[in-house]
Amino acid sequence: MARTIEVQPISGALGAEIVGVDLAGELSNEAFDAVHRAFLDHHVIFFRDQNNLTPEKHKAFGRRFGTLNVHPYVKGMDGHPEILEIIKEPEEKTNFGGGWHTDMSFLEEPALGSILHAIEVPPCGGDTLWANQHMAYDALSDGLKQTLGGLTAIHSAKGEYGPKGQSAHNRQSMDTTMAPDAPEFEHPVVRTHPETGRKGLYVNPAFTMHFKGWTRRESRPLLNYLFEHCRQEQFTCRFRWEAGSVAFWDNRSTWHFALNDYQGHRRHMRRVTVNGDRPF
């Protein structure tokens, strides 16, 4: 089966479409290894025409990579707590994931990756962008790399899922819990990928609060610089969804951004998140 798998890059920075894989079927070890290699090489991989991917099969594919996360602040799908039903109805103004971020960096052991399956998409709009954080790190000066290598950042969900956060408002379709007292966890600003050994930046606008030992005011100028740097166009790719499409991205090496440009149309996605380990 692996001999029939094609890996087609979609940009110079990251992202590849995988042809010849049915995620609803039984992946041989050889085929799984080919998919896993593409995942590590390209940081986000895409599959088209996966209309037969049931919730059970969706979870089964995710479990090939690790245990599955149950989101602490968003209620999962009925009967499948590991699956988030990400729905935006035509009348809703705010979308889920509508800003640059890395999934679940607010946990002590953040997510390895996320697997998103498109059930219903608008006729146009609703694309997702990803940014390669290895490339963002590599593009920094040696002096700034040295400075950042000694820093730790504080991550928490209390901003995004607090009373004023984007993830806690204006989405009647998702059962979200506000978390003004969410815990804080420390992660290195420069993370080493546990499988490839590559270094990458590990801060994001949604969940990184400040640097350890720095005030928020002191942290803001440098964080803002990094946030602007990390989302530069040359580090990104963009994917146009179709019903049945699947994206699987590495949260250890990417940011992503769900565009909110389809007002008046419904968008329905299902997400499984694979648990990861503590950054180092």
Side-chain angles (χ1 to χ4, degrees), residues 98-157:
W100 284 109
H101 66 286
T102 298
D103 289 338
M104 318 300 285
S105 78
F106 56 79
L107 296 179
E108 185 173 14
E109 295 185 343
L112 178 154
S114 302
I115 306 167
L116 190 63
H117 183 211
I119 307 302
E120 182 180 351
V121 298
C124 64
D127 295 358
T128 303
L129 288 77
W130 284 265
N132 184 335
Q133 298 307 292
H134 294 313
M135 290 186 74
Y137 173 77
D138 291 343
L140 297 173
S141 68
D142 290 341
L144 186 50
K145 287 178 183 176
Q146 184 175 5
T147 296
L148 297 177
L151 294 180
T152 299
I154 307 301
H155 294 242
S156 177

Side-chain angles (χ1 to χ4, degrees), residues 106 131 179 185 254 260:
F106 56 79
F185 294 105
T254 65
N260 187 20

Side-chain angles (χ1 to χ4, degrees), residues 205-249:
F207 304 122
T208 305
M209 312 293 286
H210 60 90
F211 298 116
K212 182 181 179 182
W214 298 29
T215 67
R216 290 197 181 190
R217 183 178 179 184
E218 291 168 338
S219 301
R220 188 51 47 193
L222 181 52
L223 282 177
N224 283 344
Y225 174 82
L226 293 175
F227 296 158
E228 289 290 331
H229 172 77
C230 287
R231 60 177 180 245
Q232 291 183 76
E233 289 85 352
Q234 65 265 33
F235 305 146
T236 67
C237 72
R238 178 169 178 156
F239 184 67
R240 182 170 185 182
W241 293 94
E242 301 169 351
S245 296
V246 170
F248 178 23
W249 63 89

Side-chain angles (χ1 to χ4, degrees), residues 17 30 48 53-54 60 63 71 98 122 145 156 159 167 202 266:
E17 190 166 320
E30 189 180 10
R48 298 286 189 187
L53 189 66
T54 63
R63 288 190 176 113
H71 201 289
K145 287 178 183 176
S156 177
S167 294
Y202 197 68
R266 191 174 195 267

